[in-house]
Amino acid sequence: MDNTIDRLLESYGKSPVTAKIGRSPQPNKETVVKIIGLLQKLIFPGFFEQKKLSREFVRYYIGEILEEIKYNLEKQMKKAFLCAEENAAPEDVSDARVDAISRSFFEKLPIIRDYMETDVEAAFEGDPAAYSRDEVIYSYPGIYAIMVARIAHELYLLDVPLIPRIMTEHAHSVTGIDIHPGATIGKYFCIDHGTGIVIGETTIIGEHVKIYQGVTLGGLSTSGGQKLKGVRRHPTIEDNVTIYSGASILGGDTVIGEGSVIGGNAFVVTSVKPNTRVTIKNPELEYQPKN
Amino acid sequence: MDNTIDRLLESYGKSPVTAKIGRSPQPNKETVVKIIGLLQKLIFPGFFEQKKLSREFVRYYIGEILEEIKYNLEKQMKKAFLCAEENAAPEDVSDARVDAISRSFFEKLPIIRDYMETDVEAAFEGDPAAYSRDEVIYSYPGIYAIMVARIAHELYLLDVPLIPRIMTEHAHSVTGIDIHPGATIGKYFCIDHGTGIVIGETTIIGEHVKIYQGVTLGGLSTSGGQKLKGVRRHPTIEDNVTIYSGASILGGDTVIGEGSVIGGNAFVVTSVKPNTRVTIKNPELEYQPKN
Amino acid sequence: MDNTIDRLLESYGKSPVTAKIGRSPQPNKETVVKIIGLLQKLIFPGFFEQKKLSREFVRYYIGEILEEIKYNLEKQMKKAFLCAEENAAPEDVSDARVDAISRSFFEKLPIIRDYMETDVEAAFEGDPAAYSRDEVIYSYPGIYAIMVARIAHELYLLDVPLIPRIMTEHAHSVTGIDIHPGATIGKYFCIDHGTGIVIGETTIIGEHVKIYQGVTLGGLSTSGGQKLKGVRRHPTIEDNVTIYSGASILGGDTVIGEGSVIGGNAFVVTSVKPNTRVTIKNPELEYQPKN
Amino acid sequence: MDNTIDRLLESYGKSPVTAKIGRSPQPNKETVVKIIGLLQKLIFPGFFEQKKLSREFVRYYIGEILEEIKYNLEKQMKKAFLCAEENAAPEDVSDARVDAISRSFFEKLPIIRDYMETDVEAAFEGDPAAYSRDEVIYSYPGIYAIMVARIAHELYLLDVPLIPRIMTEHAHSVTGIDIHPGATIGKYFCIDHGTGIVIGETTIIGEHVKIYQGVTLGGLSTSGGQKLKGVRRHPTIEDNVTIYSGASILGGDTVIGEGSVIGGNAFVVTSVKPNTRVTIKNPELEYQPKN
Amino acid sequence: MDNTIDRLLESYGKSPVTAKIGRSPQPNKETVVKIIGLLQKLIFPGFFEQKKLSREFVRYYIGEILEEIKYNLEKQMKKAFLCAEENAAPEDVSDARVDAISRSFFEKLPIIRDYMETDVEAAFEGDPAAYSRDEVIYSYPGIYAIMVARIAHELYLLDVPLIPRIMTEHAHSVTGIDIHPGATIGKYFCIDHGTGIVIGETTIIGEHVKIYQGVTLGGLSTSGGQKLKGVRRHPTIEDNVTIYSGASILGGDTVIGEGSVIGGNAFVVTSVKPNTRVTIKNPELEYQPKN
Amino acid sequence: MDNTIDRLLESYGKSPVTAKIGRSPQPNKETVVKIIGLLQKLIFPGFFEQKKLSREFVRYYIGEILEEIKYNLEKQMKKAFLCAEENAAPEDVSDARVDAISRSFFEKLPIIRDYMETDVEAAFEGDPAAYSRDEVIYSYPGIYAIMVARIAHELYLLDVPLIPRIMTEHAHSVTGIDIHPGATIGKYFCIDHGTGIVIGETTIIGEHVKIYQGVTLGGLSTSGGQKLKGVRRHPTIEDNVTIYSGASILGGDTVIGEGSVIGGNAFVVTSVKPNTRVTIKNPELEYQPKN
């Protein structure tokens, strides 16, 4: 056993990139997931409580949850900054710095709520299988993924490192929907089923857009790798566009004009004019008797 | 901070649909998931226990688990009815009402077990990578998703609100397989790999059907939205049909005749005669030297 | 209620395959998942700790985790052998037998670490959205799925039953990436986004291979079922191949020559020469004004 | 095993007093203990929190804890009334009834706090081993036992069944100090060490009283049993009395006049005039060489 | 740090009695406590459940709990025998051996229940502060301590090592009542308050005995130490005896004759005839004005 | 409800001593208890593990536990210093300061182990009811209380505030034995039964001392209160003294000479020469027929 330990120690010495020894620890995933849960309670109050949320106490309820978010979020942000800023010392990430960020973030909460209300409306109105808005809020993975993306996007805009991605990867794991925190998404966004959806970092999505499972809004090629950082690599989807399952829309110059419909499995790498229906011309299907 | 709280309170007042204040609480997700786990112990006894299930105690084991299911399920059903029936008071959802439903549901358990036995057989026989039926029962996500769908379907038929969908969305999250509780599924149903599968509310599936990852059995268009509720919108798959990965079969009038095979990525929106092999005619692939 | 119990007991008697009564219990999933977590701490030390891993204690840290893995892994392997070997008695699965396996497995840990370092490098270099290698290690589902596959593969080569599959199915559930423990995978393997990927048991993958979400490396047909066990059924992917999203490469005789690129949604069932770019020739897209 | 079960069932049938079958369940001990913990957070805010309690949030903190107490306390009170009132049906214990009790109880909280402040002062001033008032609040078992007794006493005065006793028995278990909820206790009450103290139901204690470990304030004889219920059976201790360890003061007519001191192990069954020092006259000790 | 480790290792080598390295592990305290909780559910069914215990399920409830006790108790007994029997190997403690013990023990359960019913009756009838028998069962520490002693005594008679003492020490910690598992205790045994009571290994107690807090039924001197093992060292208390708080009754030849009453703080080392009232003759108390 | 909140806020403002708002939080009790548990694993290795502690891993086991203790203890010490030193800022309690203390403390661990070995020996040899030294280590409350006192005493000598007292109060709660961390205790210290024992801050106890339940080694009077801080207030017990149950020995000038025996319930406030047997001269007992 000592031999295995020696070889592992040697490996840690040789490859320090994959061995975080004597370096600042990462933000804690479980706590980040807990923060999402607390934000969900502010955004959809009463839906994720076991007991009836009474009107008499709702103000205290909000205050207490805000406090818990503030405490946890600031602690995790400190960890994130210390990880991301190589030579930072604990005193470089001041209380005041993270306090300012969390206050800016809190100002966005009512706005996130406004957006989410439109997303719930779009999901309910667009799905005959939805029995009530309550069901949509409580059990639709699309709503969860969009909520997490909207939260993470605000933190991304505030230049918080690591945490936004941990948030969206959690939603990715739970829903199969992979939305990068950098993506800009308009109101009334509707995701149906959702598994396999990928939405890249520089994507811009307008209002009243609906996408189905397996849709990719991606880059044309990533062979450029790290050299492409910061470059616009993902498409623009204008208002009132619907994209059916399995379609791929790729490239930073690709714009899907407003009101267009992209058919299932379509592979689109150039811009599409407004109000266009794009479908795969061929293939036809071949029907043969089974032998 | 007081300002944030005021703005959130204002938002709750303005948008009561997304703020469940003073209204009945939802069924509890964790408890619903626990109920699934208990049912799994009755359907596949001994497979999800840490210790050997002894013959001497098995009767007590069943009885105790049934009791625990009954207690939890009835409690959650009461919550679900109170949520779903807008003006219901607690006394409108009587003990007798939920007791009757749970008893009806329990009568289906041996039948669900019969069906699941055929599903296990189909999964084992159809997969050379399966080393034993035990492995199939214990670790195949397809088996889990089908089991949850069969359970949820019985509750759906008993008009239990919310809970069936919470169940199938849990299985969706765990397996990437999204089966609506309304779908009707015959014996010997086999799902391979499974991620990305979508099976819509009004789908009807015969016996000995096998489907692969990424298959959609969906609606043609949902632009009708809530107006389509209750209308047949999803396809019929007859006995002995195989559907390869990524294929989409859409529409309430679409019938895949028995014994047919649908090729990978095929996009089928019209009916297919029995014993037909459907493949994508084009595209051919283009082979170019990489530059 | 007694009636339901009687009918379930009758069903257990009738279908003993799906009722594990008086038989050896399965390995415990939660413990297997815990073992993965402990191995992750050895492979990427310090990344999954809440506190800074200090240089002074790292040797003890490794030793203690190894001990915990050894204890738990050997206990679960005993269960697995007793399940897999029908007539085995506890004494047939000796301490010495599982001790030997765990020692062989531990020898592979530094090698797994070497491989994972190349995978991290490939993921970071190939993704402009990656802000640091730390982020890749800590939050990329592709890295997690590959790590679990590399671990499970070593146990698979040591003929440990059940446990390798439980491991990869756990990763499948968390990431949507389904890699069979039998698959052989070279260095610098990169999975982007990942949801919906399927990699079959007899797949062989070279170095510097990159694959995207929804890619299938599968069998041509599984109608042979259990008769095909042990036969090579899945493709060979040579070095420096890139496979875009939704592509399927099927069949045990299919070889994708080195340096080739397979386009999105391509359906490849025959071998491809080195340095070839394979894309779907048709379909063209049809652009119609939306009515 | 069936035999054991049959005999137990028979025993349950024969002795229904000790077999609560088909009867209302008891209040939940764990929840009652949790309520004590929440009340402790209101009475000594910030002392039992992991993080600094910030001035900005303290109002919300109180509100949220009050809400949690209210919810849990009312739920447990309903159970308690249903247990205590033999033929009560759930509807007999209305929401309004328990709401009224919890509101009356909440009005006492600031008063309990006033009393506890004097108790802390007495404990600190009287104990040279106390390093700070913080230490007294945070770690002195006497303070905990008095706090629980003051809380339980208010509920006892509001005629809440079962719960007050569950509370004081919890404190008894934790501290070895057994104070019946019926006891009336004045300000500046100090318990030192505390283990083995017994204070009976009808005891009356004045202000500035100090008692040591092993002191009994009890009844003269309990051979009257249930016939004595409601009768004054325990002593009156006037202001500024000190009672040293192991002393017993018994009987409902016994009054220890103000300013008196009762010596260790004294056994007092008749009243004592004010400002009296009571010590054991004999025994003298006998000093013999050890053989 | 390495220095500290070396010195500890050296200390372990030097004093192996206090370093259990490479030796069989102890029975698990938490599991033993859990077993007590399960037995409590069989002895007082329904009192320690959150939900109403329904008549329909009670047989299954018993069966399932018995099974859980059997599994856990046998596992802990195996550990206990391996600890106690120095050179035993796992195979020396056969399944059959512990199965036989647990079956013998189960036969005593209805008898323990009969005894406990009399203890509850004695506690209720003897205490004017008791509001109901439910309260006595649910919250009296004396009842808990007696129940644990009766359980542990049966295991002690079956020569189970370690576990009986772990059980009574748990009750000692919770209640302050220290009853050795060897003590023989008759029906209608009543402990009031209880803290500080000590009842030694070879004590024999008749029926209708009542003792108060701080009573010791002990040995005369333990200077004989291990040489006295097995010798009768503790007193006999005949039927209908009452012993008031703080009294000590010591010695293996000491018999308190039936119907006697021992006064508070009395120190009794010789036998007492039936129907005798024993009180401390002196001391009188001295009443002086406080200066 | 708002009214209650206002009155509580007002109370917090008025009595800031009992309201820790905006002040440093206390050390965490749960963590301090966890530290005790970790130290127990180092002092009695293998006794508090579920699995056999193997010789191969014991060095790593020690190292890892030391690391966990160091991390937690230093974190709690920082909290303790910040609480105790009124105007301290976090930077005043440097890493180096707490690191130095924990290293000094660790040096004492092998010595504590040496002492504890003698305590175990004394407990085993002195108690005919002890079946093995294992049983003594694993289940005797006296051993636990002494161990905690020895640990806390070392931290007390290192001037660590708050934590030593939290430790001994935890042991007090669990065992009923209240030993102040300041007490100095020699080797071969034996506590039998223990409930109700009090040992004051400035007590000095020699070697081979044995005390029974209910013994007080206390101060003569605490009416001096805080003015007596630092003064010697508690007795000296020389080597080979035995003190029987319920005895009180009080006062800073009181010395019990070596080899003496103090009888049950004796009340000793002056020094006793060596080798003296001290018993209560009177009272004789009075034997009357019970009427």
Side-chain angles (χ1 to χ4, degrees), chain F residues 106-134:
Chain F
F106 285 170
E107 281 175 23
K108 304 294 185 193
L109 285 178
I111 299 164
I112 292 177
R113 226 183 95 73
D114 287 349
Y115 272 71
M116 289 310 303
E117 194 185 7
T118 69
D119 301 329
V120 169
E121 204 52 31
F124 177 69
E125 281 303 334
D127 183 2
Y131 280 77
S132 66
R133 288 172 184 82
D134 281 16

Side-chain angles (χ1 to χ4, degrees), chain C residues 125 219 233-234 248:
Chain C
E125 281 304 333
R233 307 180 304 276
H234 306 103
S248 294

Side-chain angles (χ1 to χ4, degrees), chain B residues 41-55 58-59 62-63 66 70 103 106-107 109-111 113-114 117 120 124-131 133-135 137-141 173-174 193 195 210 212-213 244-245 264-265 282-291, chain C residues 1 4-9 11-12 14-15 17-29 79 156 162 165-166 169 172-173 176 178 180 195-196 198 201 216 220-222 225-226 228-229 233 246 248 259-261 265-268 270 272 275-283:
Chain B
K41 286 174 181 242
L42 288 188
I43 293 171
F44 297 121
F47 282 90
F48 298 90
E49 286 300 321
Q50 303 281 33
K51 53 193 188 210
K52 190 182 288 193
L53 184 52
S54 79
R55 209 164 290 282
V58 67
R59 162 172 281 275
I62 303 172
L66 270 179
K70 191 167 190 296
R103 286 178 196 273
F106 285 169
E107 282 176 22
L109 285 178
I111 300 165
R113 224 182 96 72
D114 287 349
E117 193 185 9
V120 168
F124 178 70
E125 281 304 332
D127 183 1
Y131 280 77
R133 286 170 184 84
D134 280 16
E135 189 183 58
I137 292 172
Y138 195 57
S139 64
Y140 273 40
S173 174
V174 167
H193 307 297
T195 308
K210 180 170 191 178
Y212 286 80
Q213 69 272 21
Y244 282 101
S245 65
N265 289 344
N282 286 299
E284 287 156 40
L285 294 170
E286 194 160 24
Y287 297 86
Q288 298 169 286
K290 213 181 73 173
N291 46 2
Chain C
M1 203 58 55
T4 301
I5 294 170
D6 287 336
R7 287 179 56 215
L8 281 168
L9 276 172
S11 165
Y12 297 171
K14 211 179 59 192
S15 309
V17 165
T18 51
K20 200 167 204 172
I21 297 170
R23 286 194 278 148
S24 300
Q26 309 270 14
N28 183 243
K29 262 184 208 181
K79 286 189 170 190
Y156 175 94
L162 287 163
R165 186 67 185 263
I166 295 173
E169 283 300 346
H172 183 190
S173 175
D178 179 359
H180 194 284
T195 308
V198 172
E201 183 176 17
T216 298
L220 259 172
S221 157
T222 60
Q226 285 289 326
L228 297 174
K229 196 187 289 301
R233 307 180 304 276
S248 294
S260 293
V261 174
N265 289 345
F267 197 86
V268 180
T270 55
V272 167
N275 293 304
T276 307
R277 177 179 302 279
V278 181
T279 50
I280 302 179
K281 192 175 191 174
N282 286 300

Side-chain angles (χ1 to χ4, degrees), chain B residues 43-44 112 115-120 122-123 136 140-154 168 171-172 175 177-180 183 185-192 197 199 205 209-211:
Chain B
I43 293 171
F44 297 121
I112 293 177
Y115 272 70
M116 289 310 303
E117 193 185 9
T118 70
D119 301 329
V120 168
V136 167
Y140 273 40
I143 288 296
Y144 183 77
I146 297 170
M147 182 194 75
V148 174
R150 295 202 185 283
I151 291 167
H153 185 58
E154 294 302 333
T168 56
H172 183 191
T175 65
I177 300 166
D178 180 0
I179 306 178
H180 194 283
I185 301 174
K187 288 185 169 178
Y188 294 93
F189 184 48
C190 176
I191 287 177
D192 209 356
I197 284 174
I199 298 177
I205 295 174
V209 169
K210 180 170 191 178
I211 66 176

Side-chain angles (χ1 to χ4, degrees), chain B residues 141-172:
Chain B
I143 288 296
Y144 183 77
I146 297 170
M147 182 194 75
V148 174
R150 295 202 185 283
I151 291 167
H153 185 58
E154 294 302 333
L155 293 170
Y156 174 94
L157 293 178
L158 290 163
D159 288 324
V160 176
L162 288 163
I163 293 172
R165 185 67 184 264
I166 295 171
M167 287 179 161
T168 56
E169 283 300 347
H170 174 71
H172 183 191

